[in-house]
Amino acid sequence: MSGTLLPHGLLDLTLARASARLEAVAYHNIRRIALCSARRHAHQSVSLENLTAPEGDHSLYARRQVSRQRASALAAGGLFPHSQDRPLTELEKRIAELKEAPIAETPQDSSIPAYSEAELISMYEDLLAIPAAAQEQERTAQVSDTEQQNVQATVRVAIEALYAHEDPSTIPSDAQSQYTAAIIKLREIVEALESTRTQSDAPLVEVSILSTEEWLSLVQMCVDEQDGQAAETIIELMQRSGTSVPEAALETTMSLYANVGDVANTERLLANFAGQSPPERLRDLHVKAHIRAIEPRTFPTHALSVLHDYEGRGLPAPQRSYTRAITALLTVRSSVAEAQAWDLFAHMRYVAHPVPDPYLYTLMIAACGSRIIAPQPARALDLFTEMTVDKGIPPTAASYTAAIYACAMSGEKLYVGEAFRLAKEMMDGHRDAYGTPAFVPDRRTFSALLEGAKRTGDLAKVRWILAEIVSESLRAARGDVQDAVVVDEKIMTHVFHAYAAYKPPFNRANTVLVDSDASANQPAATSASQEDVPQSDSPSTSTEQAAPQVPVALTSHFTSLLPQSHPEVVGEARALFARILNDAAPALSSSLHSAEVADSSMPHAFQHVTLSPRLLNAFLSIHYTHALFDEGAQLYRTIFTELGVDKNAWTYVEALEQAAYARKGERKQALKFAREVWEEFCGAEEKWRRREETAIKLDARLIERAYVAMIRVLSLTGNTREGVQLVRRFVERYPPDIVKRANPKLPLRSTRTVLEAPRPLVRLVSPTDLPDNTVPPLLSFPELEMLHHKLVAKSDKESIGYLKYVCMSYSGALRRRKEATLHAKPAKDENVTSEPSSRS
């Protein structure tokens, strides 16, 4: 028989019931004989003998009657109806014997027992519902303690055996003294053996000085004491004694070197003991050592070379080595490194491991939401479908979160909706018998959903997600939930960004004002629309600029209705910020606002929020968008000082851009505010150019935005001469010549078509699709267009000519850089490990 055998009990019950029903329908006259013959095949011969015709009756009718009786008896008991023509096999006997018990024990009219849903749940719970996480943690703690005790006990036994003719009690009990004494005695024994072999010219014979367990315990003790040289000495003595070196000893010692990035000792250990074909685990540790040896966010050139070298030798590294290299590439935060990560992923599937594991799938799905290269939500969904549907790999919470994040980063409503659909599938698609979801959303899941909601300006979803997080944190505070998500700085940054991106439905500029005498003639729709507007928001003039500033009432209670006007948006944001100060920094809660924030329903829900520059910038962006200009400028001047938080580059850039796009009636205040911010930015820029340790982090694009914003402010306020001087200053600091210098192409980025090479042979990112994120600061005509218009109005031909020269110089330099990048040949120096800095 082929296939999977049924359980004996189930097979017995099925055959017995089938036989019993056949008897009841077709063989009423011989029921007793059939039941007896059905119980055991061994009894069938006896039963058939009793079915012979009476003596003296040799008629044709009698012989037919006996034939029918024999056939019915065989049919009643026969899983193998033709087996009586030959001796019974052992399998037939066992099946026939198993059939006897259910027929004897179960009445013929009995029915199959019915189980309720609660009984079934209880049954499966007893069998399958094992607290795996708790058992795993407890098992890990017990194993670590037990292993250490076993190692110490084994080493002590080995020392007693080595010093059997001496007094082992004189050896100190500390670990270093123990393995040092063992090494001394082992060296004496091995040297004696070697001298004996030299004198007798006998072949090398394995001598069991210690057992394998004792050798491994000695190596483990040396590694625990971070003494790699002692561990290598023990391995060398093991090899010299003729004992085969176990892979575990090499792996344990090599892990000590690989974890700290000691490439020299790692490669020496491989060369001395592993031979030309090291095992997979040692190959992985070799790659790990090269990755740990480089500085963070550095291109792992040597690690990639090791990977491709193993491929050329026909010994591809394990998949975890490729995962390490891809992770290191993704942390570089460079377009070239991310492209290399995708190429390595495709290359790995082509030459080594066709099916990635769930961790690598998750890593690449998350990489689709890159901030360096444009997000790729379609590719993320394709990889997720390939993993779960095509390859049949069960999804994990991390894979769901990665797909949600990639879709949310696109900012498109279609893919953001797909992100929320995936979140719903994650929660509802994998539930147990109690209805409990298998995947619980964590902080990353909520952050990904907030990322998508804020990019589409969906404040309703952002408020709902925030309420869910707050309620979960409160349940965790009561002890109802373990490892709950709490409101932190990143989550509140997303929330404030959503308030800044939200567009309230009420626009004061579009409101139609009517006289009191004509109010009776207004249509009903107009009256209804005016009733929906709060009294505090009713305008007194027909323009936004002439309207008086509306005082905002701060409250800690929120209604289900979204904010309907700009002041209401600011009010809600201030109430949330006041709650953060009240929970996270009570001493500073009254420094900005004197709002009533006491609310017993949310006790310390925001206590885990850290006051950071990113959080304050997000809070400031709400005032830049929804409040008057003076209010945002005043908050910029006070909030960082009063809360003791340092400003970062984004603080200056966003403040300058707010001044650059101020309304016409606010440009005078914008110029004053911009000069204050620009003075601070210039000081930060000088520190960055001098590469001081206390300098804030700047990049080329932020510098461009700051200069362009200040030039626009000066142009709009009529200070064109000062604007041209600022352009000259920019050109002097960041000349066009540095833009035309292309980065050298790495050998791994070669696009030459070959069948075998120490680089990826399959590419997913072509050179034409690869953005260059190392371009130094530059200026183009769209950025200087406002200044150009003002100069034309003043007929300043000299300045106009200079602007034309600047724009053409940067444009030509950028074009030459692009051509040089596309036609660049790989650098001959293989030690090129990173791209040149964009600093001048």
Side-chain angles (χ1 to χ4, degrees):
M1 298 178 65
S2 61
T4 304
L5 295 177
L6 294 175
H8 294 295
L10 179 60
L11 182 63
D12 182 20
L13 178 63
T14 304
L15 295 176
R17 292 191 179 279
S19 301
R21 293 189 179 184
L22 287 175
E23 295 167 15
V25 175
Y27 309 104
H28 297 286
N29 55 344
I30 56 171
R31 180 179 300 174
R32 183 178 301 277
I33 299 175
L35 284 174
C36 294
S37 63
R39 291 176 183 175
R40 293 183 184 271
H41 283 285
H43 296 168
Q44 287 181 359
S45 59
V46 179
S47 300
L48 292 175
E49 289 178 358
N50 297 332
L51 293 176
T52 58
E55 295 182 0
D57 189 359
H58 300 285
S59 62
L60 179 62
Y61 176 79
R63 289 196 299 270
R64 289 180 178 176
Q65 185 69 19
V66 172
S67 299
R68 291 195 190 99
Q69 291 177 357
R70 288 183 176 180
S72 62
L74 288 174
L79 176 64
F80 305 98
H82 304 288
S83 62
Q84 301 307 317
D85 298 337
R86 54 180 173 79
L88 293 176
T89 63
E90 183 66 23
L91 179 61
E92 294 171 355
K93 291 179 180 180
R94 292 180 62 184
I95 294 176
E97 290 174 358
L98 287 173
K99 290 172 56 180
E100 181 182 7
I103 297 176
E105 296 175 0
T106 307
Q108 187 174 352
D109 58 348
S110 63
S111 59
I112 298 175
Y115 295 95
S116 63
E117 186 71 17
E119 291 173 342
L120 288 175
I121 292 176
S122 177
M123 182 188 305
Y124 284 107
E125 182 180 27
D126 294 338
L127 295 175
L128 301 176
I130 302 174
Q135 289 187 1
E136 185 65 24
Q137 293 178 357
E138 184 178 358
R139 189 183 301 111
T140 303
Q142 293 177 355
V143 166
S144 60
D145 296 339
T146 305
E147 285 183 353
Q148 188 175 6
Q149 295 175 1
N150 292 338
V151 167
Q152 294 176 356
T154 305
V155 170
R156 190 63 188 176
V157 171
I159 292 176
E160 291 177 357
L162 291 173
Y163 288 85
H165 301 288
E166 303 177 19
D167 187 7
S169 60
T170 58
I171 301 175
S173 59
D174 60 289
Q176 186 174 3
S177 300
Q178 295 273 317
Y179 66 74
T180 302
I183 290 174
I184 294 174
K185 181 59 68 174
L186 286 171
R187 184 178 285 112
E188 294 176 1
I189 296 174
V190 169
E191 290 176 353
L193 288 174
E194 289 177 344
S195 62
T196 303
R197 290 166 181 163
T198 303
Q199 295 174 1
S200 61
D201 295 331
L204 181 63
V205 179
E206 180 177 347
V207 178
S208 299
I209 302 176
L210 297 176
S211 65
T212 304
E213 182 181 1
E214 292 172 342
W215 285 111
L216 292 176
S217 298
L218 281 172
V219 173
Q220 184 64 48
M221 179 174 286
C222 296
V223 172
D224 291 340
E225 295 297 321
Q226 304 295 314
D227 193 347
Q229 295 297 328
E232 283 192 63
T233 303
I234 293 175
I235 295 174
E236 181 185 359
L237 292 173
M238 191 187 314
Q239 191 178 52
R240 290 168 58 186
S241 68
T243 304
S244 58
V245 180
E247 181 183 337
L250 295 176
E251 178 182 340
T252 304
T253 307
M254 196 167 174
S255 297
L256 177 64
Y257 296 142
N259 290 335
V260 296
D262 191 347
V263 177
N265 284 329
T266 300
E267 294 182 344
R268 179 173 50 80
L269 185 65
L270 278 175
N272 294 337
F273 303 105
Q276 296 297 323
S277 301
E280 279 194 354
R281 180 57 181 162
L282 299 186
R283 281 175 262 162
D284 174 58
L285 292 175
H286 189 192
V287 176
K288 180 180 179 180
H290 279 279
I291 293 177
R292 292 289 181 91
I294 61 178
E295 295 293 331
R297 296 192 175 185
T298 305
F299 199 94
T301 304
H302 296 294
L304 297 177
S305 300
V306 170
L307 275 177
H308 298 305
D309 178 65
Y310 279 126
E311 294 170 358
R313 293 159 54 184
L315 299 170
Q319 190 172 145
R320 69 176 66 183
S321 300
Y322 290 91
T323 304
R324 295 183 194 276
I326 292 174
T327 304
L329 287 168
L330 293 176
T331 56
V332 176
R333 300 292 183 181
S334 167
S335 59
V336 175
E338 288 199 9
Q340 188 69 25
W342 282 107
D343 293 346
L344 183 61
F345 175 70
H347 174 78
M348 179 205 73
R349 303 187 67 178
Y350 177 69
V351 302
H353 308 285
V355 181
D357 56 15
Y359 182 84
L360 185 53
Y361 263 122
T362 301
L363 181 64
M364 301 314 297
I365 292 172
C368 293
S370 170
R371 297 179 182 270
I372 307 300
I373 305 178
Q376 307 172 75
R379 175 176 284 182
L381 295 176
D382 287 345
L383 287 174
F384 185 79
T385 304
E386 177 188 329
M387 180 185 77
T388 57
V389 179
D390 299 343
K391 303 302 181 183
I393 301 175
T396 61
S399 61
Y400 269 112
T401 300
I404 292 171
Y405 174 76
C407 292
M409 285 297 295
S410 66
E412 301 179 15
K413 288 188 177 181
L414 176 63
Y415 289 110
V416 172
E418 187 68 15
F420 279 90
R421 187 199 65 79
L422 286 172
K424 181 176 178 61
E425 177 184 326
M426 173 183 174
M427 292 292 297
D428 298 339
H430 308 273
R431 294 183 179 270
D432 58 7
Y434 290 105
T436 305
F439 304 130
V440 180
D442 56 3
R443 184 182 64 87
R444 295 181 180 179
T445 308
F446 283 116
S447 297
L449 293 174
L450 287 172
E451 185 78 43
K454 81 174 185 182
R455 288 178 179 271
T456 56
D458 195 344
L459 185 59
K461 288 182 179 178
V462 170
R463 296 173 79 195
W464 169 69
I465 295 172
L466 179 61
E468 288 293 324
I469 299 174
V470 170
S471 62
E472 185 175 349
S473 63
L474 295 181
R475 290 195 300 270
R478 295 192 299 266
D480 300 337
V481 181
Q482 295 181 354
D483 300 330
V485 181
V486 297
V487 182
D488 58 3
E489 176 260 347
K490 186 176 182 180
I491 288 176
M492 288 310 302
T493 300
H494 289 317
V495 172
F496 286 151
H497 282 160
Y499 274 97
Y502 173 66
K503 296 181 180 180
F506 175 70
N507 190 350
R508 183 174 306 179
N510 296 334
T511 304
V512 179
L513 299 180
V514 296
D515 298 333
S516 59
D517 297 337
S519 60
N521 299 328
Q522 284 292 327
T526 305
S527 301
S529 63
Q530 289 181 355
E531 290 177 0
D532 293 340
V533 180
Q535 294 297 326
S536 60
D537 293 338
S538 59
S540 58
T541 60
S542 59
T543 61
E544 180 78 19
Q545 292 80 10
Q549 181 178 357
V550 181
V552 179
L554 302 182
T555 177
S556 59
H557 300 277
F558 299 93
T559 62
S560 58
L561 185 65
L562 292 176
Q564 299 297 302
S565 62
H566 295 287
E568 289 185 9
V569 175
V570 177
E572 278 199 11
R574 287 183 176 179
L576 283 173
F577 193 75
R579 166 61 65 178
I580 293 172
L581 292 180
N582 182 73
D583 293 348
L588 303 173
S589 60
S590 61
S591 60
L592 295 179
H593 306 290
S594 58
E596 294 291 337
V597 294
D599 188 0
S600 60
S601 64
M602 294 194 310
H604 305 292
F606 299 90
Q607 60 181 345
H608 299 283
V609 180
T610 304
L611 299 178
S612 65
R614 183 172 62 173
L615 179 67
L616 299 187
N617 291 340
F619 181 63
L620 272 173
S621 65
I622 302 174
H623 293 78
Y624 293 156
T625 306
H626 299 287
L628 297 179
F629 183 86
D630 288 341
E631 187 176 352
Q634 182 61 26
L635 188 61
Y636 171 89
R637 297 185 182 102
T638 58
I639 188 171
F640 289 94
T641 303
E642 294 180 355
L643 296 181
V645 179
D646 296 330
K647 300 173 184 177
N648 60 6
W650 286 94
T651 307
Y652 304 124
V653 172
E654 291 177 357
L656 289 171
E657 290 180 344
Q658 171 66 13
Y661 292 93
R663 298 183 180 92
K664 189 174 182 179
E666 299 173 337
R667 288 176 183 171
K668 185 177 181 180
Q669 299 93 319
L671 177 61
K672 180 181 178 181
F673 174 66
R675 291 186 185 278
E676 297 176 7
V677 178
W678 182 253
E679 184 177 356
E680 298 178 11
F681 174 79
C682 290
E685 183 189 13
E686 288 297 330
K687 291 183 179 180
W688 177 77
R689 286 172 57 83
R690 293 194 298 266
R691 303 187 180 185
E692 297 183 5
E693 296 181 357
T694 58
I696 63 175
K697 183 179 179 181
L698 285 173
D699 57 36
R701 306 288 79 80
L702 289 178
I703 293 173
E704 283 180 12
R705 292 173 59 177
Y707 273 89
V708 169
M710 190 60 194
I711 293 172
R712 180 181 175 87
V713 171
L714 295 174
S715 302
L716 291 174
T717 54
N719 298 288
T720 56
R721 185 175 297 275
E722 190 175 353
V724 174
Q725 292 177 357
L726 189 57
V727 173
R728 293 181 182 274
R729 175 184 175 182
F730 180 89
V731 174
E732 180 181 355
R733 292 192 170 189
Y734 311 101
D737 289 338
I738 65 174
V739 177
K740 67 176 69 173
R741 301 172 191 166
N743 295 324
K745 179 179 288 187
L746 299 175
L748 295 171
R749 297 300 303 163
S750 175
T751 55
R752 183 181 179 183
T753 303
V754 290
L755 297 179
E756 183 180 357
R759 58 178 175 83
L761 303 178
V762 181
R763 297 200 178 276
L764 292 181
V765 182
S766 63
T768 56
D769 298 333
L770 182 63
D772 188 357
N773 64 335
T774 62
V775 180
L778 56 87
L779 294 175
S780 60
F781 180 76
E783 297 166 343
L784 301 177
E785 186 176 5
M786 182 59 64
L787 179 59
H788 181 270
H789 291 337
K790 297 297 182 181
L791 292 175
V792 170
K794 292 186 176 181
S795 301
D796 191 347
K797 296 182 180 180
E798 182 181 356
S799 299
I800 294 174
Y802 178 72
L803 286 186
K804 182 178 180 180
Y805 158 75
V806 170
C807 295
M808 294 299 292
S809 298
Y810 280 113
S811 177
L814 190 62
R815 183 173 59 256
R816 294 189 189 95
R817 180 188 182 92
K818 183 177 180 180
E819 293 175 355
T821 301
L822 293 177
H823 296 90
K825 295 182 179 180
K828 295 182 180 180
D829 185 10
E830 296 183 357
N831 296 325
V832 179
T833 58
S834 61
E835 302 150 26
S837 175
S838 60
R839 299 183 182 181
S840 59

